[in-house]
Amino acid sequence: MLALNNKRIVGGIFFDLEKAFHCVNRDILLAKMEYYGIRGVMYTLIKSYLENRHQKVKFNNKLSKWDKINIGVPQGSILGPLFFLIYINVLPSVIQRSLSNKNSSIVLCADDTSVIISEPCSMNFERKLNIMFQIMKEWFNSNFLLLKFHKTYYMKFITKNKFLNKINIENDNKMILQTNFEKCLGITIDNTLSWEQHIDTITPKLNKACYIIRGSKLYLSNDAIKMVYYAFFHSVMSYGLIFGGNSTKGKCVLKLQKRAIRIIMGAKNNDSRREFFKILRILPLSAQYIYSLLMFVVNNRNLFLDNAELYTIKTRNSCNLHPPLSHLTKYQKGVHYWVLGSSFIYQLP
């Protein structure tokens, strides 16, 4: 969003790896652990955990013989994702060193890998995307990881009044498919950052949560029902709320939240929910969104500047956070601008 506000071209490639956990080379993994300082008893323990694993397959009520597994890390375990992150931890430095600029970032979360690049020039932008893709492909191949080409997508982020130019990213004389939205870490991101696709994705989950609350109402107390609300409804609603909480489709989520509150309280359709929110001590969607923004600023204070850091003259607002210059209406609705321009942040104790 910051790059779009600075009138830069922004796009990213979302990589999909095939059976990522099963393809991890154990010798490379153990060598990287030793490089990161895992030695002695801990190294021996992890090596013992990975080695001498066997498996057999059941098919048509017949079992195969036990066979030794020489590659991969245990999937479904707590340590599996950690081992995989250690395995690919060097990727960000490889990208930064190869592209030699600070206008690219890489997001790693287990086997979900995404790279975002921003450039002021469209020709340099397409060239660097192709270079970055080749670097990633070669790194995956050298580390015995298989890339699902048909499930790897490119997306260019735009504002609604911008024309979407076609970008060609080649792989063995084939083009990477371009998409207008992609799911990343449980959040559906669209190329205009409207977050409407994400709301469309979570709406069926919220409807299902209302159904679960209604069914549990007959057997559980109000306190227990409230726990069910937080487990099935609030967890889905609040995840990624900091991004899409100001979307025009947010009214659909608020409507479902009011339905859930009405079910908990056993109220009628035309009853006001405002007092019910107060009784249950549950924040409405808009209030939850503001709370999420404020907590982001508090927990990431280093990302924001004071007026005193930019201006030498001391005024009554010197200690206030400085809202950045905005060129886009969409940027003004984001966390880096909206919460700093509001008075909520200065009312915190």
Side-chain angles (χ1 to χ4, degrees), residues 114 300 332:
S114 308
N300 299 274
Q332 294 177 4

Side-chain angles (χ1 to χ4, degrees), residues 77-240:
S77 63
I78 296 175
L79 291 176
L82 178 60
F83 289 155
F84 187 80
L85 285 176
I86 293 174
Y87 193 74
I88 64 172
N89 188 55
V90 73
L91 253 180
S93 60
V94 171
I95 294 296
Q96 294 292 344
R97 186 168 58 250
S98 302
L99 295 180
S100 301
N101 63 39
K102 297 181 179 180
N103 298 322
S104 62
S105 60
I106 184 168
V107 180
L108 302 177
C109 184
D111 55 344
D112 289 330
T113 304
S114 308
V115 179
I116 306 297
I117 287 182
S118 67
E119 274 291 329
C121 175
S122 59
M123 293 183 63
N124 288 338
F125 176 72
E126 183 172 355
R127 180 179 63 85
K128 287 189 176 181
L129 274 176
N130 278 278
I131 293 174
M132 181 270 297
F133 177 79
Q134 293 302 324
I135 292 170
M136 294 286 288
K137 178 185 173 183
E138 291 174 4
W139 191 91
F140 287 141
N141 289 337
S142 63
N143 286 271
F144 305 99
L145 295 175
L146 302 177
L147 180 64
K148 284 185 181 178
F149 179 72
H150 63 285
K151 289 189 176 181
T152 296
Y153 297 101
Y154 157 75
M155 182 163 59
K156 182 180 179 182
F157 298 98
I158 59 172
T159 53
K160 287 188 177 181
N161 59 344
K162 292 281 187 177
F163 178 73
L164 186 60
N165 296 323
K166 186 177 180 180
I167 302 292
N168 295 322
I169 304 176
E170 297 185 8
N171 175 58
D172 298 331
N173 297 324
K174 295 180 181 179
M175 297 293 178
I176 289 183
L177 297 178
Q178 187 167 341
T179 183
N180 292 329
F181 60 90
E182 178 66 17
K183 192 171 184 179
C184 182
L185 304 181
I187 298 178
T188 305
I189 306 172
D190 60 275
N191 62 341
T192 60
L193 298 178
S194 66
W195 308 107
E196 293 182 359
Q197 290 289 340
H198 177 66
I199 293 176
D200 289 340
T201 302
I202 66 172
T203 297
K205 298 180 181 179
L206 297 178
N207 276 312
K208 184 178 180 180
C210 289
Y211 176 79
I212 293 173
I213 294 171
R214 187 186 300 275
S216 304
K217 176 70 176 175
L218 301 174
Y219 309 101
L220 302 177
S221 64
N222 278 351
D223 290 338
I225 289 294
K226 190 175 176 181
M227 294 175 63
V228 173
Y229 165 84
Y230 277 106
F232 291 94
F233 193 100
H234 181 82
S235 60
V236 175
M237 179 192 74
S238 59
Y239 184 68

